[in-house]
Amino acid sequence: MSDAVIWQQAADILCVRLDSMGDVLMTTPAIRALKQARPDRRLTLLTSPVGAAVAALVPEIDDVIVHDAPWMKAARPRATSAADHALIDGLRERGFDAAVIFTVYSQNPLPAALTCYLADIPRRLAHCRENPYGLLTDWVPDYEPERGIRHEVRRQLDLVASTGARPSHERLSLTVPDAARERIARVLTEMAVETARPWVLVHPGASAASRRYPPASFAEVCRQLVHQDGYSVLFTGNDDERALVEGIQRAMDAPSHSLAGRLTLPELCALIECAPLLIANNTGPVHIAAAVGTPVVDLYALTNPQHTPWAVPNRVLFHDVPCRFCTKSVCPEGHHHCLRLVSPDAVARAARELLAERGRRLVRGA
């Protein structure tokens, strides 16, 4: 029996993606491929606490298991391995037919492969740089980055294609709840945001310091868009980013609005969906924008090359540097030139271009 036939028979599959919100979203085309290969198939996502929040909005995912894996960068320290043993026991009880382990090229899939092996999941698929022997039944040799780097979406699509699974389309998958849309419509009305005229959504935060455009530069971009173009500016961010947003608002010397720390994730998705344009660092909201079709100006720190906006109108802005693709959360050189040397003028110009292009598309579609 061929491998493709064996995978076609797998009715209950565990998808392992233990990363952040954006990584989960970039995996959704591959998850769709697995679902469409057998429509009665049940897909369970094993993911991080952050990844679980967005997984609830992905229609192809039937169930979610949350685990803070100790082999991941963002894992919280713990004293014992009890949670890991409990995970293995729980996976074994579920009786999965197969597991697909999704990783970026810089991650080692073998801890997750060992977990699935110990849970007696009979088929285990992953990219792997070294020979995994019995830990993986389906081994796709990993040649990144030595032989080139694919977009993260393409990498995961290629992985599941080895089982014969291909999606009907390759867009990111995310469903915005109607209740969230209704709440955002009310909030924008209450804040007197004039949605009939051009406005932009700005998300100035990011989890890693190396991926943050300077606040003073954000302020200058927003000042130009308000004073020179007459655009309204609305900021968003999590509760920890309130002070960052407030500082930018003070420095921009122009009127603006903020919803930082005031939105649930579904409401953030609804806000991004209705925005004409998002300006953001390379972080989760950029991939939400790609999923809902909102054009995005992506201030793209050169920490990783493979996470640019997927299948959506965009401008990716950076300053090329010899230390590009460092994969670091803090700039190892200390100068942060890949973002710091991107001029506010260039960002404002990119925003104007994308808004003009959006206007032309709307006219053609009218």
Side-chain angles (χ1 to χ4, degrees):
M1 188 181 298
S2 70
D3 287 344
V5 172
I6 292 172
W7 275 92
Q8 181 64 31
Q9 293 177 345
D12 197 355
I13 294 181
L14 178 71
C15 299
V16 182
R17 187 78 216 225
L18 291 159
D19 302 271
S20 66
M21 177 171 63
D23 299 296
V24 169
L25 285 173
M26 286 186 286
T27 309
T28 55
I31 292 173
R32 179 187 302 115
L34 291 171
K35 177 69 84 172
Q36 292 181 337
R38 178 172 173 168
D40 67 338
R41 175 174 281 163
R42 182 174 178 81
L43 297 181
T44 299
L45 181 68
L46 173 62
T47 191
S48 66
V50 175
V54 77
L57 303 177
V58 178
E60 292 85 359
I61 296 173
D62 298 296
D63 196 9
V64 177
I65 299 172
V66 181
H67 186 65
D68 197 14
W71 58 88
M72 300 301 293
K73 182 193 292 188
R76 293 165 294 187
R78 33 185 167 86
T80 74
S81 60
D84 304 295
H85 287 285
L87 173 67
I88 292 168
D89 292 342
L91 295 179
R92 186 184 300 111
E93 290 172 6
R94 295 280 293 266
F96 291 104
D97 299 318
V100 182
I101 300 163
F102 297 105
T103 57
V104 300
Y105 70 81
S106 58
Q107 292 171 340
N108 189 336
L110 294 181
L114 177 61
T115 298
C116 295
Y117 170 79
L118 294 175
D120 297 322
I121 300 176
R123 304 292 299 196
R124 301 171 300 278
L125 167 68
H127 286 107
C128 193
R129 186 162 286 102
E130 59 190 277
N131 191 333
Y133 298 101
L135 289 184
L136 292 176
T137 58
D138 299 79
W139 170 32
V140 177
D142 197 347
Y143 300 118
E144 294 186 77
E146 292 80 11
R147 299 187 190 177
I149 297 172
R150 295 165 286 183
H151 193 283
E152 184 66 13
V153 173
R154 180 60 55 201
R155 173 181 170 87
Q156 310 313 340
L157 283 168
D158 289 348
L159 179 65
V160 299
S162 69
T163 72
R166 290 176 174 81
S168 57
H169 64 86
E170 296 182 351
R171 296 187 297 276
L172 306 190
S173 184
L174 185 146
T175 298
V176 179
D178 288 339
R181 290 189 177 114
E182 293 165 3
R183 164 100 202 290
I184 289 303
R186 291 194 302 271
V187 167
L188 292 177
T189 299
E190 292 165 1
M191 296 177 70
V193 176
E194 297 182 42
T195 56
R197 51 189 282 250
W199 63 283
V200 297
L201 184 64
V202 179
H203 187 93
S207 58
S210 58
R211 290 190 281 114
R212 297 177 197 144
Y213 191 55
S217 298
F218 264 120
E220 176 57 27
V221 171
C222 295
R223 181 186 302 114
Q224 288 191 29
L225 294 179
V226 174
H227 287 314
Q228 296 180 19
D229 301 278
Y231 299 162
S232 295
V233 172
L234 173 57
F235 289 95
T236 188
N238 62 33
D239 197 51
D240 293 336
E241 292 162 346
R242 280 179 185 262
L244 168 65
V245 168
E246 290 168 358
I248 294 171
Q249 287 184 288
R250 287 192 297 270
M252 64 185 279
D253 189 29
S256 64
H257 308 273
S258 174
L259 286 171
R262 294 176 53 188
L263 302 177
T264 64
L265 179 59
E267 291 164 353
L268 174 63
C269 295
L271 179 62
I272 293 173
E273 181 186 49
C274 74
L277 176 73
L278 172 69
I279 302 175
N281 299 311
N282 176 30
T283 189
V286 165
H287 305 297
I288 294 173
V292 300
T294 297
V296 57
V297 176
D298 190 348
L299 292 153
Y300 198 87
L302 294 180
T303 56
N304 299 79
Q306 76 275 33
H307 297 156
T308 53
W310 179 261
V312 70
N314 67 80
R315 295 292 187 275
V316 175
L317 303 182
F318 58 84
H319 179 83
D320 202 7
V321 288
C323 52
R324 59 186 168 281
F325 311 151
C326 66
T327 74
K328 303 298 184 182
S329 296
V330 176
C331 176
E333 300 297 323
H335 52 56
H336 205 204
H337 281 176
C338 62
L339 280 184
R340 191 176 297 279
L341 295 183
V342 176
S343 74
D345 289 351
V347 181
R349 183 167 57 250
R352 295 182 191 109
E353 291 172 356
L354 280 173
L355 283 168
E357 290 174 10
R358 179 179 183 272
R360 288 192 291 270
R361 285 194 301 274
L362 290 174
V363 169
R364 287 195 300 268

